[in-house]
Amino acid sequence: MSEKKQIFPVRHGLQGEVNIPGDKSVSHRSVILSALADTPVRITNFLQAQDCLSTVSCMKQLGAEIDIQADGMLLVTGNGLHGLQEPAGILDAGDSGTLLRLLLGLLAPQPFLATFTGDASLSRRPMGRVIEPLTQMGAHIVGRDGNRLLPITVLPALQPLTGITYQMPVASAQVKSALLLAGMYAKGETTILEPYTSRDHTERMLEAFGVPVRKSGGGVMMQPAEKLCAPEVIDVPGDISSAAYWMVAASVIDGSDVLLKKVGVNPTRTGILDVLRAMGADIQCMNERVSGGEPMADIRVRSAKLHGVSFGAEIMPRLIDEIPILAVAAMFASGETTITGAGELRVKETDRLQAIIDQYTKLAPCIEGQADGLVIHGSAVFSEASCFSYDDHRIAMSLAIAGAAGQGVTIENAACVNISYPEFYTTLHSLMK
Ligand code: S3P
């Protein structure tokens, strides 16, 4: 992934419609749960990007039959809740923290051995946060450097895991989902408590597969499950995290008017809409509907004068992946934006706070870093520069929008957008015409 991409400034605003690619979180979960069903599931609008294709490949190694059909639809035929098979080789989680953490939860209760590897970025990310509670449930998981790092091996469970009550120190949908998946196979109830509610796609999809997830007193509870009753079709909503680039681009580039089609608007993901609206953005949700328990809408965004805002820990799980692009919005807004409670960004695909501080300031020196956040001085004066992506898809796409709305940018290691949005650059060009 070493090639460069040059992005030129947009002259006349962004115009047009975008079919937003499938949600990454929902795509991972759709293929994992379908592989545990007794009946075949068709998945439409599945995100065919690197991270989710790694999940497809792991679930195949675990015994599911998965066909990617000509129209992009996925047909998954599983072997039931207890039908996973021991993989013959090592499971490669690539760059995907979601895949690795969810599958650690799913495989912890299985009677076979599995070893995970992944790329350099994933090898540096903290896995103790999921290994620790799974170990409390009785799982045997060993990894490098005190069980924290890849490669990680899940040893065969010699007896059923035991449900626990677990208070998560940080809100994390990946950890919550891992424990819910493990909880389906455990003795007794598993209760997960989070400081703030993280995305609830696993809970919604388990319900769609006939496995009830109880919610009470700020916790989610899983009882042992017997089988999954799969829907015939799962229609994956468009990813609001991918739509976010066009929301910000259209807001800050004068003369823009874009329609983003079929965007997932699950309330645990719509922090970006709340913050952009608080900044003065012109955003209209239309044609709202629900499919497979997930709400979706078409979203029209027109350019507007943005102003700075402050937000922090409470809203963070609802927009955690959108901080890199919200930081770009703040650079173009008038006044100051203060972001706090964003320490989790330091353990994403790269240290995203540091990446923002080090690279965005090459385009406009207007950002101060703090231990868990950023202060961004708006109405920034931009110049053209060459910036690193650190192979982080969200940093690369945010830099592209900053360059398009500013004075241009050259992005080093630009192909990492393939992790979540392979059509990103072609979509940008089509909106610029
Ligand atoms: C995800 C949860 C979030 C998010 C990640 C996808 C998921 O991570 O940042 O991109 O699909 O569950 P955490 O749960 O670790 O906050």
Side-chain angles (χ1 to χ4, degrees):
M1 285 190 196
S2 60
E3 89 300 347
K4 294 179 184 183
K5 186 94 190 170
Q6 192 170 6
I7 305 287
F8 296 100
V10 176
R11 295 288 168 220
H12 306 293
L14 299 180
Q15 302 283 335
E17 286 187 10
V18 184
N19 288 319
I20 299 296
D23 186 281
K24 185 152 78 71
S25 295
V26 176
S27 294
H28 282 301
R29 288 152 171 86
S30 69
V31 73
I32 293 172
L33 289 192
S34 299
L36 301 175
D38 299 303
T39 52
V41 182
R42 283 185 298 136
I43 307 174
T44 56
N45 202 34
F46 181 83
L47 176 63
Q48 292 196 39
Q50 202 179 300
D51 266 13
C52 298
L53 293 174
S54 296
T55 299
V56 167
S57 138
C58 287
M59 295 319 292
K60 278 184 176 172
Q61 280 178 267
L62 290 162
E65 240 178 73
I66 304 175
D67 292 322
I68 300 181
Q69 308 199 321
D71 56 2
M73 200 178 66
L74 228 64
L75 183 63
V76 183
T77 311
N79 298 307
L81 190 58
H82 296 280
L84 291 176
Q85 290 159 22
E86 182 164 70
I90 289 175
L91 298 168
D92 187 355
D95 190 57
S96 176
T98 306
L99 158 57
L100 178 57
R101 295 194 177 111
L102 266 59
L103 285 200
L104 285 173
L106 177 64
L107 297 190
Q110 309 299 331
F112 54 75
L113 181 139
T115 294
F116 287 96
T117 184
D119 70 8
S121 149
L122 189 61
S123 305
R124 285 191 297 267
R125 294 179 65 186
M127 292 302 144
R129 56 176 59 190
V130 63
I131 296 177
E132 208 176 285
L134 289 170
T135 304
Q136 284 178 30
M137 293 175 80
H140 295 286
I141 303 175
V142 286
R144 200 162 55 80
D145 191 14
N147 289 351
R148 291 186 318 115
L149 303 175
L150 287 170
I152 290 174
T153 295
V154 185
L155 297 168
L158 301 176
Q159 53 192 31
L161 302 188
T162 310
I164 55 167
T165 295
Y166 187 65
Q167 171 71 58
M168 286 198 287
V170 290
S172 165
Q174 296 177 353
V175 176
K176 173 176 64 176
S177 303
L179 300 184
L180 287 171
L181 294 174
M184 289 198 297
Y185 298 87
K187 278 186 301 182
E189 190 171 72
T190 302
T191 301
I192 305 132
L193 300 154
E194 322 188 72
Y196 301 109
T197 305
S198 62
R199 63 190 68 190
D200 65 357
H201 302 300
T202 305
E203 294 91 306
R204 286 172 189 254
M205 199 174 288
L206 281 166
E207 297 274 353
F209 276 77
V211 176
V213 181
R214 207 156 58 79
K215 290 183 189 155
S216 130
V220 290
M221 290 99 184
M222 170 60 75
Q223 293 281 346
E226 267 158 35
K227 67 191 293 252
L228 267 55
C229 297
E232 275 176 32
V233 180
I234 298 174
D235 187 22
V236 178
D239 198 328
I240 193 166
S241 298
S242 298
Y245 302 100
W246 314 127
M247 290 179 197
V248 170
S251 294
V252 303
I253 298 172
D254 273 350
S256 298
D257 185 351
V258 300
L259 183 64
L260 311 173
K261 303 285 290 280
K262 201 180 161 184
V263 182
V265 287
N266 177 321
T268 61
R269 297 285 299 282
T270 48
I272 174 84
L273 298 181
D274 296 353
V275 169
L276 283 177
R277 282 183 172 136
M279 294 176 85
D282 180 354
I283 297 179
Q284 211 186 331
C285 289
M286 297 172 289
N287 194 13
E288 293 187 39
R289 63 265 193 207
V290 176
S291 175
E294 290 284 351
M296 47 184 103
D298 300 331
I299 300 182
R300 183 175 183 187
V301 186
R302 283 174 280 192
S303 45
K305 293 277 168 261
L306 302 188
H307 52 81
V309 287
S310 296
F311 57 94
E314 196 164 341
I315 198 171
M316 207 47 66
R318 295 180 56 232
L319 46 64
I320 185 79
D321 294 337
E322 284 68 77
I323 296 294
I325 190 61
L326 276 173
V328 173
M331 293 166 87
F332 286 92
S334 62
E336 199 167 277
T337 292
T338 306
I339 304 173
T340 52
E344 273 294 290
L345 263 80
R346 295 207 182 273
V347 290
K348 294 296 178 187
E349 283 83 331
T350 189
D351 176 344
R352 285 184 175 158
L353 288 182
Q354 204 54 48
I356 290 170
I357 297 159
D358 292 346
Q359 301 305 315
Y360 294 19
T361 47
K362 291 182 179 170
L363 298 172
C366 63
I367 303 180
E368 289 167 47
Q370 296 178 337
D372 73 341
L374 301 165
V375 177
I376 302 163
H377 305 283
S379 307
V381 178
F382 281 79
S383 48
E384 206 277 333
S386 184
C387 299
F388 296 114
S389 68
Y390 302 99
D391 276 331
D392 183 319
H393 53 136
R394 302 210 187 279
I395 298 296
M397 290 188 276
S398 301
L399 284 169
I401 300 302
Q407 296 299 318
V409 64
T410 301
I411 303 167
E412 314 253 3
N413 291 17
C416 56
V417 303
N418 290 335
I419 286 166
S420 67
Y421 202 161
E423 311 83 17
F424 175 80
Y425 297 118
T426 48
T427 305
L428 176 59
H429 283 121
S430 73
L431 289 173
M432 280 161 96
K433 279 183 189 145

